């Protein structure tokens, strides 16, 4: 989303250096900068302006410089951007725990590790990000409690007086809050815990409550406040005026008493809203945290699900952000979660009906999450595994077309989309035990962590070279610091042409192509803005690989 602020900069010549290699050199080695599990696939890509076929490469032990693996560039070259000789190299047979570098000619990669717990820090950082996004009196970090007068009025409802809509999370680098992104995020945090309560039961603050459930409660409390009268939901809080008054910390927001809420309701919204609350009710009952809260969640989920036939198909936000096309997958998710919480057969019947109508969506975004419903339904009816399989077969075919192994097309929110592919491979493997899509999974997380043309990790403070100039006001006023923020990542050039963004940092432009571009620039709200949705997807994936 677009934010504006005025800056005056005296810019000297920028020289981009990539780990022993200047921009004029011909060879760039890109690999996962965090590393690899011992028995998993291990690859890197090489971008070059000269032919490297049959050239040897070495894996060096980082401290001793001893050669631990030797191979050669074998595959035929691919072309990307300014580089006519691009290759993939494989060193999967190296499984010894340690820290390493790749060397080819005089060029070396950033160091990476092989180990069993290498993703724990990624998981913990991703978790911390949500605390920076907290709004209201929710004990945020990097800023003070904020927007304590949300909301000043409700637009689109007969009673337009102020209403308590404090809490929740700021959606991205701005201070708008959306029901659909909050519901998605909340659901996925809860889903992660239910999927594997041991891996996702980590308790870093040592208060005997899993951190991921504490964070989900922030979302749940706000979702319940969005229930206006058991018939209407607040779908958005604050409008585009948030983007037009300059950058500020949220507690210094001059619009704090002028933050309206907007109401609307559609089948798509009912689906993800009811799914999150139904799942919460089950977890809170089973953990015996608060039976009254669990009951309220379930009753609210059932009330809104009962309205599904009397509302429009697709509900849009007031600002038309996060557009959606379909609703069946979300109603399938709501009905299967209601069945799992109540054991009422009518909900299972609905889940099967909506799940079949939803089919495979061949995509992943906040509006395209059919595989979550199909995964849950498949636990009762194995026929639904096929829909996840078709999604993954499509992604595997797409991945085979490029040495970069992208599982889907680039978009606004590429990192979330790629990690959505990884998420689906995990679900499929859990249902079937099949390893058919293991490599597809690894390729997507490797891309996020540095195996990409820019050689950058798209998670702040992870890896040796990561996105630093995030489109985030909280980060800006904290000297760029925003722990665990997953930036949106590269986007199609044709999409970027539609928006006039005055960028100041062209450090990675050498690695942009005519089709795809990325800018580590504070002004770039398309490629460099973190969101709660992207971080929720990432937390599931990297939490799954944690130890």
């Amino acid at each position: 989303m677009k934010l504006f602020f005025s800056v005056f900069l005296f810019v000297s010549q920028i020289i981009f250096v990539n780990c022993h290699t200047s921009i004029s050199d011909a060879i760039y080695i890109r690999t996962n900068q965090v590393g690899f599990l011992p028995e998993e696939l291990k690859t890197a890509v090489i971008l070059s302006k000269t032919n490297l076929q049959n050239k040897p490469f070495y894996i060096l032990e980082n401290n001793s410089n001893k050669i631990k693996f030797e191979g050669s560039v074998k595959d035929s070259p691919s072309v990307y951007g300014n580089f006519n000789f691009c290759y993939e190299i494989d060193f999967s047979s190296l499984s010894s725990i340690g820290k390493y570098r790749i060397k080819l000619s005089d060029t070396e990669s950033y160091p990476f590790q092989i180990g069993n717990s290498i993703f724990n820090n990624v998981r913990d950082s991703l978790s911390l990000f949500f605390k920076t996004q907290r709004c209201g009196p929710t004990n945020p970090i990097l800023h003070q409690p904020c927007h304590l007068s949300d909301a000043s009025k409700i637009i689109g409802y007969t009673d337009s007086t102020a209403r308590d809509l404090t809490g929740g999370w700021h959606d991205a680098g701005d201070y708008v809050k959306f029901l659909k992104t909050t519901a998605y995020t909340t659901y996925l945090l809860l889903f992660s815990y239910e999927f594997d309560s041991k891996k996702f039961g980590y308790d870093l603050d040592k208060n005997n409550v899993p951190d991921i459930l504490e964070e989900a409660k922030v979302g749940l409390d706000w979702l319940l406040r969005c229930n206006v009268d058991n018939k209407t939901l607040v779908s958005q809080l604050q409008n585009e005026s948030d983007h037009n008054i300059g950058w500020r910390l949220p507690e210094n927001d001059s619009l704090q008493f002028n933050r309206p809420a907007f109401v609307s309701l559609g089948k798509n919204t009912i689906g993800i809203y009811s799914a999150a609350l139904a799942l919460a009710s089950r977890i809170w009952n089973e953990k015996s945290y608060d039976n009254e809260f669990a009951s309220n969640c379930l009753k609210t989920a059932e009330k809104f699900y009962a309205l599904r036939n009397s509302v429009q198909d697709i509900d849009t936000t007031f600002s038309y952000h996060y557009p959606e096309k379909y609703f069946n997958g979300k109603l399938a998710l709501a009905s299967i979660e209601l069945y799992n919480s109540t054991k009422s057969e009518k909900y299972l019947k609905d889940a099967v009906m909506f799940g079949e109508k939803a089919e495979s969506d061949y995509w992943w975004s906040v509006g395209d999450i059919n595989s979550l419903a199909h995964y849950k339904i498949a636990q009762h009816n194995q026929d639904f595994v096929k829909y996840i399989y078709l999604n993954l077969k499509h992604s595997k075919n797409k991945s085979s077309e490029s040495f970069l192994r992208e599982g889907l097309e680039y978009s606004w929110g590429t990192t979330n989309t790629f990690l959505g592919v990884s998420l689906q491979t995990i679900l499929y493997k859990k249902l079937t035990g099949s390893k058919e899509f293991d490599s597809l999974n690894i390729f997507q997380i490797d891309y996020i962590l540095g195996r990409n043309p820019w050689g950058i990790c798209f998670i702040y403070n992870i890896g040796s070279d990561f996105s630093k100039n995030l489109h985030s006001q909280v980060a800006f006023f904290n000297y760029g610091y925003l722990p665990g923020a997953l930036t949106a990542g590269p986007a199609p050039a044709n999409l970027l042409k539609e928006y006039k963004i005055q960028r100041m940092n062209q450090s990675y432009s050498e690695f942009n192509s005519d089709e795809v571009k990325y800018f580590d620039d504070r002004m770039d709200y398309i490629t460099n803005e973190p969101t709660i949705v992207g971080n929720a997807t990432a937390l599931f994936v990297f939490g799954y690989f944690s130890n």
Side-chain angles (χ1 to χ4, degrees):
M1 292 170 206
K2 198 171 184 180
L3 301 175
F4 298 93
F5 73 106
S6 298
V7 293
F8 298 91
L9 293 175
F10 298 96
V11 183
S12 59
Q13 183 180 12
I14 297 173
I15 298 175
F16 176 69
V17 178
N18 177 34
C19 195
H20 311 299
T21 310
S22 74
I23 200 69
S24 61
D25 290 333
I27 300 173
Y28 300 89
I29 303 172
R30 312 307 202 188
T31 194
N32 180 333
Q33 295 172 28
V34 174
F36 308 91
L37 298 175
E39 304 306 321
E40 294 288 359
L41 177 74
K42 304 173 189 72
T43 66
V45 295
I46 301 167
L47 280 63
S48 175
K49 296 180 180 179
T50 59
N51 190 349
L52 299 175
Q53 202 158 14
N54 299 319
K55 294 287 186 182
F57 70 88
Y58 308 93
I59 309 295
L60 308 179
E61 193 172 53
N62 197 54
N63 292 331
S64 69
N65 288 325
K66 291 181 179 178
I67 297 174
K68 293 296 182 179
F69 180 93
E70 182 176 351
S72 61
V73 178
K74 295 179 180 179
D75 62 338
S76 299
S78 300
V79 176
Y80 171 85
N82 296 319
F83 302 92
N84 291 327
F85 301 93
C86 301
Y87 307 90
E88 179 180 81
I89 58 174
D90 191 314
F91 48 98
S92 300
S93 60
L94 178 63
S95 59
S96 300
I97 291 174
K99 193 170 187 178
Y100 303 93
R101 304 186 315 279
I102 304 170
K103 183 172 182 177
L104 193 157
S105 297
D106 293 327
T107 302
E108 294 185 1
S109 72
Y110 290 116
F112 61 88
Q113 290 184 295
I114 295 177
N116 293 306
S117 303
I118 57 174
F119 295 114
N120 289 20
N121 184 49
V122 182
R123 176 204 66 192
D124 297 345
S125 294
L126 291 166
S127 297
L128 202 58
F129 170 77
F130 293 103
K131 292 186 177 182
T132 72
Q133 297 299 109
R134 289 182 182 180
C135 183
T138 54
N139 195 28
I141 63 172
L142 301 184
H143 65 87
Q144 299 300 312
C146 58
H147 301 129
L148 301 177
S149 298
D150 281 355
S152 56
K153 58 183 175 181
I154 298 180
I155 296 175
Y157 186 64
T158 54
D159 180 4
S160 63
T161 58
R163 182 181 182 88
D164 180 11
L165 287 165
T166 57
W169 301 289
H170 303 132
D171 177 66
D174 57 3
Y175 300 134
V176 183
K177 297 186 285 193
F178 295 104
L179 180 79
K180 66 170 65 177
T181 60
T182 300
Y184 171 99
T185 299
T186 303
Y187 179 84
L188 211 50
L189 295 178
L190 296 169
F191 178 91
S192 299
Y193 179 78
E194 185 188 51
F195 186 86
D196 192 329
S197 60
K198 290 185 178 180
K199 283 183 180 289
F200 292 98
Y202 55 92
D203 180 21
L204 301 180
D205 56 11
K206 300 189 183 304
N207 65 352
N208 297 317
V209 179
D211 293 354
I212 203 166
L213 295 185
E214 285 188 272
E215 203 59 55
K217 184 66 160 53
V218 172
L220 289 167
D221 287 343
W222 192 72
L223 291 176
L224 289 170
R225 290 191 183 101
C226 287
N227 174 10
V228 178
D229 57 4
N230 290 327
K231 295 182 292 184
T232 308
L233 289 173
V234 168
S235 59
Q236 179 177 335
L237 197 152
Q238 187 54 297
N239 54 33
E240 296 298 306
S241 62
D242 178 85
H243 302 161
N244 300 329
I245 62 167
W247 284 37
R248 71 280 184 203
L249 282 170
E251 61 266 30
N252 299 327
D253 193 348
S254 61
L255 297 174
Q256 62 179 307
F257 300 113
N258 185 21
R259 287 169 56 83
F262 304 86
V263 297
S264 59
L265 194 63
K267 292 180 175 65
N268 57 324
T269 310
I270 283 175
I272 189 62
Y273 182 80
S274 299
L277 293 179
L279 176 54
S281 72
R282 193 162 66 253
I283 292 175
W284 257 254
N285 259 330
E286 291 172 356
K287 297 292 291 185
S288 299
Y289 285 132
D290 186 338
N291 290 334
E292 183 179 351
F293 176 79
S295 177
N296 186 24
C297 286
L298 183 57
K299 288 179 181 178
T300 304
E302 290 191 288
K303 285 176 182 177
F304 277 94
Y305 182 78
L307 299 174
R308 67 194 180 281
N309 294 325
S310 61
V311 300
Q312 61 188 327
D313 288 348
I314 303 296
D315 167 44
T316 59
T317 66
F318 175 79
S319 299
Y320 297 101
H321 294 297
Y322 303 105
E324 297 181 61
K325 296 180 180 179
Y326 311 108
F327 63 85
N328 283 309
K330 295 171 200 67
L331 286 181
L333 189 61
S335 51
I336 193 60
E337 291 296 0
L338 285 167
Y339 171 73
N340 288 337
S341 293
T342 66
K343 300 306 178 185
S344 174
E345 290 293 328
K346 66 178 182 179
Y347 291 128
L348 182 57
K349 182 179 179 181
D350 282 356
V352 170
M353 176 189 66
F354 287 124
E356 288 176 342
K357 288 182 178 179
E359 301 182 313
S360 300
D361 43 15
Y362 305 105
W363 193 247
W364 188 270
S365 71
V366 69
D368 302 277
I369 55 172
N370 291 356
S371 285
L372 292 175
H374 291 144
Y375 168 77
K376 287 293 185 81
I377 301 170
Q379 294 173 10
H380 306 279
N381 183 338
Q382 277 287 308
D383 287 346
F384 283 82
V385 175
K386 67 184 178 186
Y387 296 117
I388 305 176
Y389 176 83
L390 290 172
N391 270 357
L392 294 175
K393 195 69 176 176
H394 171 80
S395 288
K396 189 172 183 178
N397 290 339
K398 175 70 175 64
S399 175
S400 68
E401 297 171 1
S402 167
F403 74 104
L404 295 169
R405 306 293 187 176
E406 310 100 315
L408 285 169
E409 291 75 17
Y410 291 91
S411 63
W412 190 333
T414 291
T415 55
N416 179 53
T417 299
F418 288 1
L419 288 171
V421 174
S422 285
L423 181 150
Q424 292 175 83
T425 68
I426 294 167
L427 302 188
Y428 183 79
K429 188 171 185 177
K430 182 73 174 286
L431 289 170
T432 66
S434 170
K435 297 181 179 181
E436 180 177 354
F437 300 108
D438 281 6
S439 61
L440 177 65
N441 186 356
I442 299 303
F443 284 134
Q444 307 316 300
I445 67 171
D446 285 354
Y447 188 100
I448 301 302
L449 297 179
R451 190 190 184 275
N452 56 66
W454 305 270
I456 195 170
C457 176
F458 293 112
I459 305 175
Y460 182 86
N461 213 25
I462 297 296
S464 299
D465 189 17
F466 51 86
S467 301
K468 299 178 180 66
N469 303 294
L470 301 173
H471 187 76
S472 163
Q473 296 176 90
V474 171
F476 177 71
F477 288 102
N478 285 277
Y479 307 99
Y481 180 65
L482 199 67
L486 172 76
T487 191
N494 288 337
L495 170 65
L496 293 170
K497 288 178 182 177
E498 298 176 14
Y499 299 85
K500 295 181 179 179
I501 301 175
Q502 295 185 1
R503 302 177 180 89
M504 298 171 288
N505 185 4
Q506 300 288 331
S507 297
Y508 294 93
S509 294
E510 172 74 7
F511 306 102
N512 288 335
S513 70
D514 290 340
E515 293 76 30
V516 180
K517 300 183 186 297
Y518 168 74
F519 299 93
D520 183 21
D521 190 288
R522 189 167 59 247
M523 301 302 291
D524 197 323
Y525 48 88
I526 297 178
T527 72
N528 222 36
E529 184 171 18
T531 66
I532 57 174
V533 164
N535 263 72
T537 309
L539 181 55
F540 174 83
V541 173
F542 290 106
Y544 170 81
F545 281 108
S546 68
N547 183 8

